[in-house]
Amino acid sequence: NREALGSAGILIPPNDAAALRDAMLTLLDPKKRASLSAKALDRAQQFDLQLAHQRMGEILRGHARRG
């Protein structure tokens, strides 16, 4: 899904062979491939379970203080 992917990949519509072909051709470019790889690693860190737990704790503590 686009929300999870962000700019870290190429979203291809289902059953769209031309879009798949175009995406594969795009990935033949080493600079584009390296850029997407770096973005994907950064994006994956946003889904870290410990970080999510920490953020949720901060949110809950903030609500608890407000009563």
Side-chain angles (χ1 to χ4, degrees):
N1 95 20
R2 175 54 64 194
E3 182 179 334
L5 184 63
S7 64
I10 302 170
L11 189 63
I12 302 166
N15 303 314
D16 190 337
L20 177 59
R21 179 201 63 224
D22 293 344
M24 293 174 73
L25 290 172
T26 297
L27 294 175
L28 291 176
D29 177 353
K31 288 182 181 179
K32 182 67 172 178
R33 193 170 55 245
S35 173
L36 286 172
S37 179
K39 288 178 183 180
L41 289 172
D42 288 341
R43 185 75 176 140
Q45 290 177 353
Q46 295 177 10
F47 294 95
D48 178 80
L49 187 56
Q50 286 181 327
L51 184 57
H53 182 262
Q54 179 183 354
R55 287 180 181 160
M56 182 58 75
E58 291 168 0
I59 291 168
L60 294 175
R61 283 189 293 278
H63 284 290
R65 284 188 207 112
R66 286 185 229 139

